[in-house]
Amino acid sequence: MSAGPASAVASRDGAKYGVGVGLARAVASRDGAKRGVGVGIARAGTWCSDPGRGSGTILAVALGLVVMILMAAVLTFAQAAAMAHRAAAAADLAALAGADAARGLTTGDPCVVAGEIAARNGASLSACTVRGGEIVEIHTESVRGMVFGTATGRSRAGPPP
């Protein structure tokens, strides 16, 4: 008679005599029932003979984690690209407004006008240069909504050629 968590070989040998223990309980109950010994339902806590059992669950969890990490990276990259486009658009609009002020089409100092337009578009004016009296070069920064660093934009505007 074998007792405790015995190996499958010992359980099968025990099944010949009507006693089943360990991994082969189902076989022992069928054979043991013929000899008058009933074993019943397999014990909880016995090890499964299939070493690959449960590996699909671990693989699915790992794949899910990889997909979530990749999605977070893609979303971060998309946010950075959107903020860079906003900073560039603010620089373009500010340069056009500054160039209009430099040419006398609107009133005010070109850099002050450009700063107001940049602020309306969610950016701050980091540099403003007026060249030749009519060409305005603008540098903007946008820190709002960025996870890593700042988004910058640069633009130059002047009279038509």
Side-chain angles (χ1 to χ4, degrees), residues 57-73:
T57 303
I58 294 172
L59 217 64
V61 168
L63 183 62
L65 287 174
V66 167
V67 167
M68 287 192 301
I69 289 170
L70 287 175
M71 287 301 294

Side-chain angles (χ1 to χ4, degrees), residues 1-3 10 14 17 19-21:
M1 178 171 163
S2 57
Y17 303 107
V19 178
V21 178

Side-chain angles (χ1 to χ4, degrees), residues 38-110:
V39 178
I41 300 173
R43 272 193 322 202
T46 58
W47 291 97
C48 179
S49 63
D50 184 15
R53 185 177 174 114
S55 63
T57 303
I58 294 172
L59 217 64
V61 168
L63 183 62
L65 287 174
V66 167
V67 167
M68 287 192 301
I69 289 170
L70 287 175
M71 287 301 294
V74 166
L75 288 176
T76 302
F77 179 72
Q79 179 195 21
M83 292 307 294
H85 285 292
R86 286 184 186 173
D92 288 341
L93 293 171
L96 288 171
D100 284 346
R103 289 179 44 207
L105 299 174
T106 58
T107 59
D109 182 52

